[in-house]
Amino acid sequence: MHRLMVVGIGPGNAVNMTEACRNALLGADAIFGYTPYLQLLKPLFPHKTFFGTGMKGEVARCRAALGLAAEGKVVSLVSSGDAGIYGMASLVYELSPEFPSVTIEVVPGITAAISGAALLGSPLGHDFAVISLSDLLTSWDLIEKRLRAVAAGDLAICIYNPASHGRRDHLKRACDILLEILPPDRVCALVRNIGRTEETYALTTLGALRTRQVDMLTTVFIGNAKTRVLNGKMITPRGYRHA
Ligand code: SAH
């Protein structure tokens, strides 16, 4: 049986990597992934063979990993966070009919929404939605439609991919859409470099978020109507009554 493990490595630090992830990588003959993530893994798995690719090489990377697995090697393909959340898991399954001998297994990882939420306190304590502002594979019209829908539904929102080199103003545009429905004092937060040496977070408001600098390593949290700042943390109540 030929196996390809599609592995979420968590935010990037060893302690937030699951035991299942560690076992998959220790058992792999080859580890494929986006080059910056492999830099995080190399010191932890110094004797492994790594195959890195750049950002636009996703399809080729998945085919190469499936191809090597079809030759009989045990292969792991890594994504940061969870591989099923804006990661490689769905693409691997889409390409898998080309490699019928390969069995695919997904190993879950801690996604940025969850590791970021833990840093902030409890911003996702009730219903929430995750939205990516990347319009590389999704039209901006659809992103706008989803932003309006989740704002109308009073969901807390976790935003991935708030900016990239070519899309500096996406967060500002998203805030302007949300501000059509939500008040400017809505509690918000940014987390950057979760689990890495330069980890930081900041609390803010939706009105002020419009002009905040963000990059590809930032995840943004927008509270629901009940979200509050308590002792410097962002808390979305579950609704328990307490005196
Ligand atoms: N599969 C990943 C998400 C990949 S999309 C996961 O489950 O976490 C890339 C986006 O994820 C980034 O633009 C950022 O918004 C978020 N992200 C991933 N790792 C992060 C980290 N260590 N710190 C902050 N945000 C992160």
Side-chain angles (χ1 to χ4, degrees):
M1 188 185 74
H2 297 147
R3 282 171 81 199
L4 174 63
M5 314 282 279
V6 187
V7 182
I9 63 169
N13 52 352
V15 290
N16 280 326
M17 210 171 262
T18 67
E19 198 69 24
C21 163
R22 211 180 312 278
N23 289 341
L25 299 186
L26 285 173
D29 299 316
I31 301 173
F32 285 73
Y34 175 45
T35 304
Y37 301 154
L38 299 187
Q39 300 307 332
L40 297 168
L41 294 176
K42 278 180 184 164
L44 303 172
F45 302 92
H47 305 299
K48 292 292 166 183
T49 307
F50 289 92
F51 294 94
T53 44
M55 190 121 93
K56 302 242 161 94
E58 288 90 354
V59 175
R61 185 196 309 153
C62 289
R63 280 215 175 92
L66 282 157
L68 195 62
E71 288 172 21
K73 300 282 187 210
V74 180
V75 180
S76 276
L77 173 62
V78 298
S79 288
S80 77
D82 182 79
I85 300 181
Y86 312 122
M88 293 292 108
S90 41
L91 178 57
V92 166
Y93 276 105
E94 285 167 19
L95 296 173
S96 65
E98 298 172 25
F99 304 87
S101 70
V102 179
T103 303
I104 297 156
E105 200 175 310
V106 177
V107 177
I110 301 179
T111 189
I114 305 307
S115 51
L119 260 180
L120 292 170
S122 185
L124 306 180
H126 209 288
D127 302 337
F128 67 97
V130 175
I131 294 187
S132 166
L133 297 190
S134 171
D135 62 354
L136 287 178
L137 304 171
T138 306
S139 72
W140 182 257
D141 279 353
L142 183 57
I143 294 168
E144 282 197 4
K145 186 174 157 184
R146 289 178 177 168
L147 286 167
R148 288 200 171 88
V150 294
D154 191 31
L155 295 159
I157 311 169
C158 181
I159 293 182
Y160 285 52
N161 295 306
S164 77
H165 296 304
R167 307 173 282 110
R168 293 245 174 248
D169 67 339
H170 275 198
L171 182 62
K172 188 174 183 198
R173 286 165 66 188
C175 287
D176 286 340
I177 290 160
L178 295 173
L179 283 163
E180 292 168 8
I181 302 173
L182 305 178
D185 65 350
R186 175 61 50 91
V187 177
C188 293
L190 306 114
V191 292
R192 190 162 182 279
N193 269 314
I194 307 160
R196 304 180 189 173
T197 38
E198 288 155 37
E199 176 180 274
T200 54
Y201 73 85
L203 301 179
T204 183
T205 60
L206 185 56
L209 188 62
R210 281 184 83 247
T211 50
R212 290 295 288 244
Q213 287 295 317
V214 289
D215 64 11
M216 285 166 67
L217 272 166
T218 311
T219 300
V220 176
F221 292 76
I222 296 162
N224 71 15
K226 297 222 165 79
T227 303
R228 298 284 173 265
V229 176
L230 291 171
N231 283 334
K233 296 285 180 171
M234 179 175 178
I235 310 299
T236 300
R238 176 79 201 284
Y240 292 109
R241 287 166 193 277
H242 50 85

